Amino acid sequence: MSRHLLGRRGLLAGGLGIGLAARRPVSAQQRLWRIMMITWRGWEDACQGFADYFSERNVPVELILRDAGQSAATVTRHVAEAKATRPDLVYLWGTTTAMVALGPYDAVDPAIHLADEIPAVFNIVTEPVWNKIVPSLERPSRRATGTLYITAMEQQLATLATYRPFRSMGITYSPIEGNSRAVVELLGQEAKRTGFELIDRPVPLDDAGKPIAAALPGKVAEIARAGAEWLYIAPDSFLNGNKLPLTQAALDAGLPSFTSTEPYILQAHALFGLVSRYYAVGQFTAFKAEQILNGVEPATIPVEPLARFSLIVNVQTAKRLEFYPPLSLLRFAETV
Amino acid sequence: MIAQGSKPSAADRAPAVAGGGESAALILLVVAVLVLTTLYVANRALDAFNRELLPLMDREAEAVSSSIAATIERALALGIPADRLVEVDPFLDEFRRQLPSLGYVALLDGKGSLMHGVGPELPAFEAMLAAGRVLRPDLALVRAQPDPDSDLAGRSISTSLEGIRDTAWPIVVPGQEALVLHIGSSSRAYDAQIADVQWDIWIVLLVSVLATYEVLIFLLARSAEAPMTLLGRAVDRVARGDWTRTVAVIGSDESRQVLRTFNLAVRTVNEAFARLTWKAEEIAREGREAAERIGREISALTERHRFAPGRLVRMTALPGAAMARTPLFIFVLAEQLPTSFMPLYAGSLHSPFSWLDPAVAIGLPLSAFVVAVAVATPFGGWWVGRIGSRNVFLLGAVPAVLGHVLAGLAADLTMLIGARVIAAIGYALVTIACQHHFVQVGNAGRQAGTLAVFVLAVVTGTICGMAIGAVVADRLGFTNTFMAAAGLVAVAALLAAWALPADGDAAPARPAAAGGSAWLLALRAPRFLAIVILAAIPAKIALNGMVYYLAPLYLAQAEVTLPAIGRTIMMYSIGMLVAIRAGAWLADRRRLYLVPMALMGLLPAAGVLLLPWQDPATGILIAVTALGIGHGLGSAPMLAAVPALCPGPDGRRQAALLLGFLRSAERIGSMLGPMIGATLLATTGPTGAALWLGLIPGAAAILLVLAGWLLPGRGLVPAVDGGRR
């Protein structure tokens, strides 16, 4: 772990060195970079980390904020504006935002997508390869790169087993979201590989094709009745909008819940998580943005996760479930 | 001419023998003093070690307790009830494993009953708990009351309970039940370390005694024995009426005084004779009769005594065998310093031979060394004949030093192999130079004796070097040990420069036996070939494969310490030293050749067959010792069998040729040993490799016995045929 950190620090120093010495020694300092930030559901910790990175390092940037209000059509409108005003970089928050703004790498439509006209960085994106945002994490091969905020599924499940080994797990999600479908597919593969039962209960859709929020508690109870030992919370925008009802339902059903993203555990009642702190992910994304601004080709900058993840236990939930973490886990875990 | 025809050789040796008796007493005294002081110092060192141990154990226990307690306190502070803590035993066990000295880790509730516990000594702790001998929890908890938020240090209470040091650590969290953590440290975990230190001390003691003995022999030879021998020779001449020689004033103060007194006496006598001659001439002038009379008296005197007034010749000391013994001992000691870790060192270096199995690559430096020695030795022999032992020794020291330095600095395996080849050239030159010196100084009848001195110096040097090299490497690292070896080679060279005769003992080299004729001769002697193929080569394969290659790797893999590896492979030489006389006795007195040769193969086989039932350290120790004893028993009879196989008028020449052939064949075995060991290691694993390396000579020995029975005639080696050798 510490070697990774050192490596990253070296990378930071290297990036700085290139920026100051080799590329544009004077102009890099004096020029004001214009960055358009397209967000999905407003300003949050990752955006703050991104902005703070530049101010802490005295890199002059003008941040042009554009929120999509969870609407794909709005994202497309913001993209059009970017193409017209030509900022130095576009920042994309969230899986849907990135998918709509960039388009699948093998079916780019120059009419609606950024189409390599302006470089872009993305963060808080789930499975960028599965979602066709980039063909490969090591070489994005288009004018866009970004960061990962979720650890590999295998690692998540191994961490979960340190809390308590399990034989069955339930998941509920919005079937219309690409993120969730990707996660369910990966979970299914892991279930087959390591031999646990996956209880898959998607939320029903209404006539408009939207998931029905009111059905959520019932689905969770159904999962508990089917014998699930854990509830896996997918990084899903629909679920994110219903954090409290979802985790409260799990609590009511006596079902411990695991998450790979921070909000469920910090702002709701999820029990246990292996998460990247959004703020740190935002900073790391800003580091990649700075590389691009200093002239490094985004196509060659790998899409990477942070070297450090946090184990978080929600002790209040543990107490209410009377489902306590083992002592070895408490040595390392943060508690809220 | 009085003394003419008496026994000059006995007279020659008389003073030396007297000196020998005194030196033995002196050596005994010095060694006794050395042993006693080392034992005393060792005892004090172990005392100090034990005194330090208890506070050390307390500190370790305190550190572990505070880490465990911190997590438990956190859990309690988060509101997890003490009786609902999850997976406490695995958690406690994690810490116990980190510190092997921990006999148990136990968590007691406020009433003093055991909630959780792990460790092999837990039953003992429970028994003490039941007997009420463990510190009462209320007493432990009192310590925690005054200021629970203060620094954790000083909260623990340690007590000694039946060989276990118990450390109690109170865990107090407001609103939760108080707990007490108990940790038991057992000094038994340090037993192994203490035993290691004790062993190191024994090794240092052994090596210092042997080295002191060698150095004393050298000093005595130079300061007392050599002047006395010289004086003895001079006195012997005087006894024969020869007053023409003075002696070189050599040795220690007392010896020099004696020699000066002798010279003074010789000069006084010669001056008296000169005065007498002068007076005689005076008298001769007085008349013919007086001249004739005085002439008769003078010639009667000169008939019995010879004088050389004004023309005295100075006698110098003859070179003694002991003069080369100590430099050779030090040289061999230096050469053997890296033996115990050579394969480990080779394994730690980058191998550019990616196409080779790593196990085989590790064996390359060993095989390269043997090959280079084999190639360089005949050249060294030729060179000694031209420029003398001393010069060849000194020239050989240069590549030897260079080889050790380069080996120590080796950046990869190629460089190490190169360094070992250079060191091997040095080794070949120095050993052949010493061997030549011993042959030259040995009187015709005492060659075997002086060659025994050569073998003894090599074996003691090997024992000391293997053992102390491991201890040094364990303390100072591999590179420094190579540097120490280079330094010791330089010391050996300085001693040789000082002690070996400078005038040179160069003698034309014997005409080299033609290789072809040796081959033809060997091919025509099936019994001899059986000995070569079924005894000599397997023995060297086992030695180089097992002792030099496999044992260090195997033992290091079993996490045996480096000094213990050194001690283990040293047992080969000790076993050999113990058995070699028995082997010689069997061959010389009982005319037994086949039995000891068979034992040479069967003993190591028996040794490795015990391996599966032993832990690796003991198993390899037994196997290596058995190999040493086997080789000790078999090597002398094997060499003695060769002349016994060569009857007839041309026997002596044939035996010499065949012995040369045997030596070359042995070198092939030595070269193959590490390669076979490596291949076996790569294919069958360490235990399998050790088994096979022992079974190869065992199987060969059985075939040898069968050959002895089946070959027509009188067995493998004719039982009769005394007197020849």
Side-chain angles (χ1 to χ4, degrees):
Chain A
M1 198 66 96
S2 63
R3 269 180 58 191
H4 282 281
L5 282 177
L6 279 175
R8 178 117 326 135
R9 217 168 282 150
L11 208 60
L12 279 167
L16 181 67
I18 290 166
L20 292 183
R23 300 280 167 178
R24 287 176 251 182
V26 181
S27 62
Q29 291 257 310
Q30 291 175 344
R31 187 168 159 199
L32 178 74
W33 302 113
R34 291 170 61 242
I35 301 174
M36 177 180 280
M37 294 176 73
I38 307 178
T39 54
W40 181 249
R41 48 168 191 257
W43 188 263
E44 47 62 82
D45 276 358
C47 304
Q48 193 61 50
F50 185 82
D52 286 354
Y53 177 87
F54 292 107
S55 53
E56 275 164 20
R57 291 165 52 78
N58 293 323
V59 177
V61 287
E62 183 198 342
L63 301 177
I64 305 149
L65 310 183
R66 294 290 179 269
D67 188 57
Q70 303 198 32
S71 150
T74 319
V75 173
T76 309
R77 227 171 38 239
H78 293 324
V79 168
E81 184 196 339
K83 289 171 101 163
T85 57
R86 307 211 71 87
D88 295 298
L89 181 78
V90 175
Y91 165 96
L92 301 166
W93 188 102
T95 315
T96 314
T97 316
M99 286 168 76
V100 172
L102 296 168
Y105 55 81
D106 54 357
V108 175
D109 180 355
I112 52 168
H113 298 137
L114 278 173
D116 289 353
E117 288 175 35
I118 305 162
V121 284
F122 56 81
N123 72 357
I124 317 298
V125 164
T126 320
E127 296 300 329
V129 175
W130 194 90
N131 284 314
K132 295 202 156 192
I133 296 172
V134 286
S136 134
L137 295 180
E138 291 75 35
R139 268 191 89 81
S141 307
R142 60 194 298 191
R143 284 192 88 187
T145 186
T147 51
L148 300 174
Y149 76 119
I150 294 175
T151 38
M153 183 57 80
E154 191 183 341
Q155 205 177 347
Q156 288 182 44
L157 296 181
T159 308
L160 181 52
T162 63
Y163 198 111
R164 218 62 110 242
F166 59 93
R167 286 184 308 277
S168 59
M169 172 182 289
I171 182 165
T172 183
Y173 55 95
S174 154
I176 57 167
E177 286 192 44
N179 313 343
S180 307
R181 288 201 309 276
V183 165
V184 171
E185 189 179 315
L186 286 171
L187 258 184
Q189 288 168 6
E190 283 298 307
K192 237 180 249 156
R193 194 175 67 85
T194 57
F196 66 86
E197 184 196 0
L198 181 66
I199 300 159
D200 173 4
R201 298 286 184 277
V203 178
L205 303 177
D206 60 16
D207 297 339
K210 295 257 176 200
I212 306 166
L216 208 44
K219 285 290 163 194
V220 172
E222 206 179 299
I223 286 168
R225 278 197 304 277
E229 290 165 283
W230 282 93
L231 175 69
Y232 183 95
I233 302 176
D236 173 315
S237 284
F238 163 72
L239 293 183
N240 192 62
N242 295 284
K243 286 192 283 285
L244 274 170
L246 173 73
T247 51
Q248 183 62 50
L251 210 50
D252 293 343
L255 192 59
S257 44
F258 175 84
T259 172
S260 57
T261 55
E262 202 181 57
Y264 297 92
I265 203 159
L266 296 186
Q267 297 155 24
H269 311 299
L271 172 65
F272 181 41
L274 177 65
V275 305
S276 285
R277 291 296 194 161
Y278 274 26
Y279 186 83
V281 174
Q283 287 178 307
F284 189 35
T285 311
F287 163 70
K288 295 200 178 274
E290 193 186 27
Q291 281 184 299
I292 297 171
L293 294 173
N294 284 327
V296 182
E297 188 49 49
T300 63
I301 303 175
V303 180
E304 292 169 308
L306 285 177
R308 265 174 78 161
F309 284 82
S310 302
L311 282 172
I312 309 182
V313 176
N314 187 327
V315 182
Q316 291 314 313
T317 306
K319 277 198 223 168
R320 284 164 71 180
L321 292 169
E322 294 199 337
F323 191 68
Y324 298 109
L327 282 179
S328 318
L329 191 64
L330 270 183
R331 273 176 84 188
F332 310 108
E334 295 171 39
T335 49
V336 291
Chain B
M1 290 292 151
I2 311 164
Q4 207 83 5
S6 65
K7 294 165 282 177
S9 67
D12 245 1
R13 251 179 284 163
V17 169
E22 281 159 21
S23 2
L26 184 59
I27 287 170
L28 207 66
L29 181 71
V30 171
V31 165
V33 169
L34 186 72
V35 168
L36 289 177
T37 42
T38 317
L39 281 179
Y40 175 73
V41 172
N43 193 33
R44 293 299 302 271
L46 278 178
D47 259 6
F49 185 71
N50 283 328
R51 266 200 313 278
E52 291 281 311
L53 196 57
L54 209 59
L56 173 81
M57 282 164 59
D58 281 354
R59 276 201 303 278
E60 282 186 341
E62 204 166 282
V64 172
S65 305
S66 73
S67 304
I68 297 178
T71 304
I72 296 179
E73 277 173 12
R74 181 163 179 230
L76 297 179
L78 287 171
I80 303 175
D83 57 350
R84 300 295 304 274
L85 293 174
V86 179
E87 290 186 34
V88 182
D89 285 2
F91 171 71
L92 298 180
D93 213 37
E94 260 175 59
F95 286 90
R96 193 189 64 77
R97 280 166 202 282
Q98 281 172 17
L99 207 61
S101 62
L102 290 189
Y104 60 81
V105 182
L107 191 63
L108 270 57
D109 66 13
K111 290 186 275 308
S113 13
L114 183 72
M115 297 173 75
H116 303 278
V118 291
E121 308 280 354
L122 190 65
F125 175 75
E126 285 188 85
M128 289 188 294
L129 192 64
R133 302 193 44 208
V134 176
L135 184 75
R136 275 172 36 218
D138 49 345
L139 293 179
L141 294 173
V142 164
R143 279 294 276 271
Q145 293 308 326
D147 183 9
D149 297 326
S150 74
D151 184 19
L152 288 179
R155 255 167 68 172
S156 63
I157 301 172
S158 295
T159 43
S160 287
L161 304 164
E162 289 176 14
I164 295 176
R165 186 83 176 153
D166 181 82
T167 301
W169 187 287
I171 298 171
V172 181
V173 173
Q176 291 274 26
E177 185 186 0
L179 306 176
V180 184
L181 179 71
H182 282 267
I183 282 186
S185 314
S186 159
S187 60
R188 255 164 274 175
Y190 296 97
D191 286 355
Q193 279 179 35
I194 294 174
D196 256 3
V197 171
Q198 279 171 335
W199 268 112
D200 282 3
I201 290 168
W202 284 116
I203 292 298
V204 170
L205 182 65
L206 173 78
V207 172
S208 18
V209 167
L210 288 176
T212 309
Y213 177 72
E214 291 293 334
V215 171
L216 273 179
I217 285 187
F218 180 76
L219 290 178
L220 277 173
R222 204 173 158 82
S223 64
E225 206 175 314
M228 287 307 116
T229 314
L230 177 62
L231 186 64
R233 280 167 51 221
V235 167
D236 192 46
R237 280 180 175 275
V238 169
R240 281 181 270 139
D242 183 356
W243 294 87
T244 61
R245 308 284 168 106
T246 58
V247 289
V249 180
I250 55 168
S252 61
D253 284 353
E254 291 79 3
S255 315
R256 298 176 87 89
Q257 207 161 343
V258 173
L259 294 175
R260 272 196 209 105
T261 313
F262 174 83
N263 284 350
L264 188 65
V266 171
R267 273 190 213 104
T268 313
V269 169
N270 274 292
E271 278 163 21
F273 179 75
R275 273 202 305 281
L276 187 68
T277 332
W278 178 68
K279 284 255 168 89
E281 281 169 13
E282 293 274 289
I283 293 168
R285 278 191 211 117
E286 285 180 12
R288 187 183 177 88
E289 193 187 338
E292 277 175 9
R293 242 187 81 200
I294 199 80
R296 273 201 306 279
E297 292 291 331
I298 297 272
S299 51
L301 183 65
T302 49
E303 201 174 305
R304 279 175 290 138
H305 297 279
R306 281 184 288 124
F307 303 97
R311 292 174 286 114
L312 288 173
V313 178
R314 212 161 67 146
M315 283 172 73
T316 51
L318 290 175
M323 290 297 161
R325 173 174 174 158
T326 306
L328 178 64
F329 165 78
I330 295 176
F331 180 84
V332 172
L333 190 154
E335 178 47 50
Q336 294 290 342
L337 281 184
T339 304
S340 61
F341 60 81
M342 187 63 80
L344 304 176
Y345 184 59
S348 74
L349 296 175
H350 168 73
S351 163
F353 315 107
S354 47
W355 40 272
L356 258 183
D357 189 282
V360 179
I362 288 171
L364 285 178
L366 301 177
S367 293
F369 185 86
V370 179
V371 173
V373 168
V375 171
T377 300
F379 174 70
W382 169 82
W383 218 14
V384 168
R386 295 183 64 111
I387 62 171
S389 304
R390 180 174 176 269
N391 292 336
V392 172
F393 192 118
L394 295 181
L395 284 169
V398 175
V401 169
L402 189 68
H404 286 307
V405 170
L406 288 178
L409 300 176
D412 64 5
L413 199 60
T414 327
M415 186 167 162
L416 179 64
I417 293 171
R420 292 306 289 162
V421 166
I422 295 173
I425 294 170
Y427 180 82
L429 292 181
V430 168
T431 47
I432 197 77
C434 288
Q435 202 172 353
H436 185 80
H437 173 79
F438 284 119
V439 171
Q440 290 296 311
V441 299
N443 298 337
R446 282 167 55 200
Q447 275 200 358
T450 45
L451 275 176
V453 171
F454 172 81
V455 172
L456 205 64
V458 171
V459 173
T460 41
T462 305
I463 293 176
C464 292
M466 280 179 172
I468 201 80
V471 176
V472 172
D474 191 45
R475 300 273 191 280
L476 305 179
F478 297 156
T479 301
N480 288 331
T481 310
F482 278 112
M483 298 306 155
L488 279 175
V489 171
V491 169
L494 285 177
L495 271 182
W498 182 51
L500 290 179
D503 46 336
D505 42 7
R510 282 178 224 144
S517 69
W519 268 101
L520 286 178
L521 205 59
L523 288 175
R524 278 200 303 260
R527 290 183 174 83
F528 172 75
L529 275 185
I531 291 175
V532 167
I533 295 167
L534 298 175
I537 293 179
K540 289 292 173 186
I541 288 176
L543 168 61
N544 285 272
M546 176 98 90
V547 179
Y548 291 122
Y549 175 79
L550 186 66
L553 288 175
Y554 189 2
L555 293 173
Q557 199 185 339
E559 290 181 358
V560 172
T561 61
L562 200 51
I565 295 176
R567 293 197 294 272
T568 307
I569 61 170
M570 175 193 82
M571 285 312 292
Y572 169 79
S573 302
I574 299 227
M576 180 146 175
L577 201 61
V578 167
I580 199 160
R581 282 180 190 281
W585 182 82
L586 287 173
D588 284 352
R589 300 290 169 85
R590 315 293 305 188
R591 300 272 163 235
L592 272 176
Y593 304 106
L594 184 58
V595 172
M597 271 193 275
L599 283 177
M600 181 160 77
L602 293 175
L603 275 178
V608 293
L609 282 178
L610 292 174
L611 253 181
W613 288 277
Q614 311 281 341
D615 66 284
T618 323
I620 290 286
L621 183 73
I622 293 174
V624 166
T625 314
L627 191 72
I629 294 175
H631 285 191
L633 284 177
S635 55
M638 185 170 73
L639 292 180
V642 176
L645 282 172
C646 304
D650 201 20
R652 191 180 284 263
R653 195 189 68 83
Q654 287 180 357
L657 281 175
L658 288 184
L659 277 174
F661 184 86
L662 182 81
R663 290 258 150 73
S664 310
E666 281 187 331
R667 292 203 179 105
I668 292 172
S670 298
M671 186 194 71
L672 288 177
M675 294 297 101
I676 292 176
T679 314
L680 288 170
L681 182 63
T683 48
T684 65
T687 314
L691 265 173
W692 279 109
L693 282 174
L695 291 176
I696 288 172
I702 292 170
L703 290 176
L704 185 72
V705 172
L706 288 177
W709 279 337
L710 296 179
L711 279 171
R714 296 168 296 169
L716 184 70
V717 179
V720 248
D721 182 75
R724 175 175 314 286
R725 291 167 312 105

